Amino acid sequence: DVVQKEEQKDIEIKDFDFEKEIQNYEEYEKEFYWEYANKVATTLPIKSTVSKVKEMTMLNSGDSKDFDFISNKEIGIESITPKFMDVDDKGISGSRKGTLMHLFLQKLDLKQDYTMEKLESLKQELIAKKMILEEEKDAINLYKIMNFIKSDFARKLRDCTCIEKEKAFCIKINASELFDEATNEEILVQGIIDIYGIKENGEIILADYKTDYVENESDLVQKYQKQLEIYKEALEKGLDKVVKEVYIYSLYLNKEIKLDI
């Protein structure tokens, strides 16, 4: 009890006079509303993927850089879409269809002379290996695959002395490439390059497959330009070679789109 009484003596409750005018109000206001000059640096992620970088770039025109939203949105309510709006009559989502088309293109040997029968045989082989499900097979559009194989662009890749597919990479990029107000911060970006070919003279042809439903090619360029710039930088640094040509191949539009990078 003695200890409690001693502690109580140390507690002094002071009344605050709310009517009294506060001195140096402007100085207090500056302290309360002070913001760090390089605010972007406090919110930038240390590590990201190419797809997240694409979304981060889209924030560049806005005032708020909500990177936490980008990182966590797939578990948030804003990403919930009714099943019937995102799947076909077999329950296959648009994103899964894109994944299946990419998988099939990855398994192609561009040095081969394919027919529709050979493509169908490859599809059955992937089903037998359980890489795709039986009910997913119709999501792989062999006519679009054949359009790609027979294109001048695929022929250009076949003429390369070396063709590489699905190559993973990790590269540091300067945040100022994404945001004007960023200074010397770096972000570690990882991704997978769909395909590239190395010509006899050492120059590289880089390409990325896209399955997006778009009305014109400019939509794809605007959406994926930064992604291909990162791929190009990663290849040139990793291989010490020049990436001479960069393309998006649109499976929906059945054409290659050369980027000015």
Side-chain angles (χ1 to χ4, degrees), residues 6-27:
E6 289 296 326
E7 289 179 350
Q8 288 175 359
K9 288 181 181 178
D10 295 334
I11 300 174
E12 184 180 355
I13 301 175
K14 296 182 178 180
D15 293 328
F16 184 80
D17 186 359
F18 288 94
E19 301 297 327
K20 184 179 179 180
E21 185 178 347
I22 299 174
Q23 301 295 323
N24 301 321
Y25 176 79
E26 290 78 8
E27 292 183 14

Side-chain angles (χ1 to χ4, degrees), residues 74-131:
E74 51 270 355
I75 63 172
I77 192 168
E78 59 278 336
S79 65
I80 297 175
T81 304
K83 289 290 184 183
F84 68 87
M85 293 180 64
D86 192 40
V87 299
D88 61 13
D89 56 359
K90 293 189 177 182
I92 303 174
S93 68
S95 61
R96 178 58 182 167
K97 289 179 182 178
T99 299
L100 291 168
M101 291 290 281
H102 272 79
L103 173 63
F104 199 88
L105 287 163
Q106 178 190 348
K107 298 303 177 182
L108 286 179
D109 179 0
L110 289 180
K111 299 292 185 179
Q112 282 195 39
D113 185 19
Y114 283 100
T115 62
M116 288 298 290
E117 290 74 19
K118 286 184 178 180
L119 291 179
E120 184 61 44
S121 178
L122 176 57
K123 184 190 289 189
Q124 293 302 321
E125 182 182 334
L126 295 178
I127 293 172
K129 291 180 178 179
K130 301 188 184 303
M131 300 183 74

